Amino acid sequence: MSMYRTRALVLKSRNLGEADRVLLLLTEDYGKLEAAVKGARRQRSRFVGNTLPFNLINAMFFTGKNLDQLSQAELIHSFAVLREDLVKMAYASYWAELIGEFVPERENVQEIFKFLLAALITLEKCDAPDLLNLAFQIRILNYLGYQPELETCVSCGDGSASLVHFSAEEGGVVCRRCGADLRDLIPVSRNDLRFLTALSTTDIRKLNQIEQTGVQLGTIRAMLRRFIEARLDKPLKTQVFLDSVLA
Amino acid sequence: MLYPHAMTRLIHELAKLPGIGPKTAQRLAFHLLTLSESEVGKIAEAMLEAKHKIGFCEICGQLSESSVCPICTDSNRCNGMLCVVEEPKDVITLERTRVFKGQYHVLGGAISPLEGTGPDDLRIKELLSRLQTGSFTEVVIATDPNVEGEATALYLSKLIKPLGIRVTRLARGLPVGGDLEYTDEITLGKALEGRVEF
Ligand SMILES: [Zn+2]
Ligand SMILES: [Zn+2]
């Protein structure tokens, strides 16, 4: 049995049997992984309290036959606000699911760990997390190499033609001519595309400073949502909850 | 050595129960074989009788032998207070404290965004129609003190407050991250008395 330590963000917690819990964690040094917390549902130790979703912890694991075991969890930062504000919780849960679905297990993803941490810190203090959420979506896609094509038509490669549509299925913008043969297109403007690019490069604490003239936020939301659903081939469970708390 | 077919089947069926692994199932099966036929018959009968007779109360969602449970039919318990819990077992747990004298509403779970359990999967519509037609003056939210329970409590308070009904939540002091089921009676009784305004 060997042991390892790393910083980790708790993404999700589910019950296992009568007494245990299984955590999904994004760790700084060992990537995304699952680990059991023995007796988590029967004891009231500080250790167990430290394993709530969205907490940032110093974690120590023992390797196990099927599942590694979390043996120590020292709290670095409790994102309590994200558990007490329904809208923020909905966003944080959405991000956790996005990472749970897209990030492969046990791969080195230090950049994603650092970005998620920065995003959670920003979300904690943010009054209107809508832009932050859009930036989070596009950047996670970028980190994982799934970014949508926004410069040239994904169908014919023409960059000079007027790019007037976005196809989630094709994975990017399409020109007027190619769009004639495609279905489920989202009409987009130059301003929308410029805005989406700016979302992926601007400091996430300063998203409000991006020029919004002529930008349809509804279009940006639809592009990212349908693009993500097309890559996963299914809607995210947390999207339903997010929709219901924003309604 | 392989077990005779009937024994294998018994072990297999017992192992389907929660918290029972193959080893425990095997031990239980051997124990059942040592009992008299009438004793085994009583166990089997009790299981079947419970399955046949027990349904859910139409009003509160608690386990019940009749279409409306004894608490919902008891006029002494119409004191304007409604306690909202996640599971039927939570009603039993709270009744043991003997502190609460009102009525209950069982949601059938908690909001869990990551598990895909949304408000529509719970008995929230039924709760709202009870509140709109009933004479409740206070709703005590007694969901589990974990992330899902808190999310459910927040969501419900947002819905209920506009109806002009007082919304309270069991006081903290309950173990964070735990299950209501594993909380002792004294702690739970205290938590009920010290409930707080949302
Ligand atoms: Zn084209
Ligand atoms: Zn009832």
Side-chain angles (χ1 to χ4, degrees), chain A residues 54 79-85 88-90 92 120 123-124:
Chain A
F54 315 127
F79 286 96
V81 176
L82 308 183
R83 296 188 296 265
E84 286 156 11
D85 178 317
K88 289 184 179 183
M89 171 192 281
L120 291 173
L123 177 62
E124 204 176 23

Side-chain angles (χ1 to χ4, degrees), chain B residues 23-40:
Chain B
K23 284 233 174 70
T24 312
Q26 199 172 297
R27 215 173 61 233
L28 289 173
F30 273 107
H31 177 74
L32 287 170
L33 291 183
T34 65
L35 300 179
S36 71
E37 197 165 333
S38 81
E39 280 172 310
V40 176

Side-chain angles (χ1 to χ4, degrees), chain A residues 30-220:
Chain A
Y30 300 87
K32 191 187 83 178
L33 56 92
E34 279 199 323
V37 185
K38 294 275 179 202
R41 296 166 66 198
R42 299 203 194 210
Q43 44 170 311
R44 346 168 151 181
S45 62
R46 175 162 303 170
F47 166 57
V48 171
N50 287 350
T51 63
L52 291 177
F54 315 127
N55 277 354
L56 174 66
I57 54 175
N58 265 325
M60 189 171 102
F61 301 92
F62 285 117
T63 53
K65 246 185 271 163
N66 304 314
L67 206 54
D68 288 1
Q69 200 180 315
L70 182 69
S71 66
Q72 266 180 42
E74 188 189 303
L75 190 66
I76 303 171
H77 184 72
S78 151
F79 286 96
V81 176
L82 308 183
R83 296 188 296 265
E84 286 156 11
D85 178 317
L86 217 49
V87 172
K88 289 184 179 183
M89 171 192 281
Y91 281 118
S93 302
Y94 178 81
W95 298 351
E97 189 180 9
L98 214 51
I99 285 175
E101 291 288 343
F102 274 112
V103 175
E105 284 212 6
R106 305 248 174 207
E107 261 180 39
N108 190 335
V109 287
Q110 278 198 355
E111 276 195 317
I112 296 182
F113 175 84
K114 289 193 178 115
F115 175 64
L116 175 62
L117 183 54
L120 291 173
I121 291 169
T122 313
L123 177 62
E124 204 176 23
K125 296 171 194 143
C126 185
D127 298 325
D130 184 28
L131 288 186
L132 180 61
N133 184 45
L134 297 174
F136 186 90
Q137 290 169 291
I138 187 75
R139 280 183 207 212
I140 284 293
L141 294 169
N142 288 346
Y143 279 125
L144 293 162
Y146 287 120
Q147 64 269 39
E149 174 57 57
L150 302 175
E151 305 276 321
T152 59
C153 172
V154 276
S155 211
C156 69
D158 193 340
S160 59
S162 61
L163 303 166
V164 289
H165 294 296
F166 180 83
S167 165
E169 285 67 31
E170 300 295 318
V173 285
V174 288
C175 70
R176 197 179 296 278
R177 192 161 38 83
C178 296
D181 306 326
L182 293 169
R183 289 169 38 180
D184 297 325
L185 294 172
I186 302 169
V188 291
S189 69
R190 277 274 164 210
N191 286 329
D192 294 333
L193 297 177
R194 182 191 46 71
F195 185 77
L196 192 52
T197 307
L199 278 179
S200 59
T201 52
T202 309
D203 182 332
I204 53 170
R205 290 165 299 182
K206 295 176 181 157
L207 298 170
N208 279 325
Q209 294 171 12
I210 305 175
E211 179 60 51
Q212 280 193 38
T213 318
V215 175
Q216 296 291 324
L217 280 181
T219 301
I220 309 287

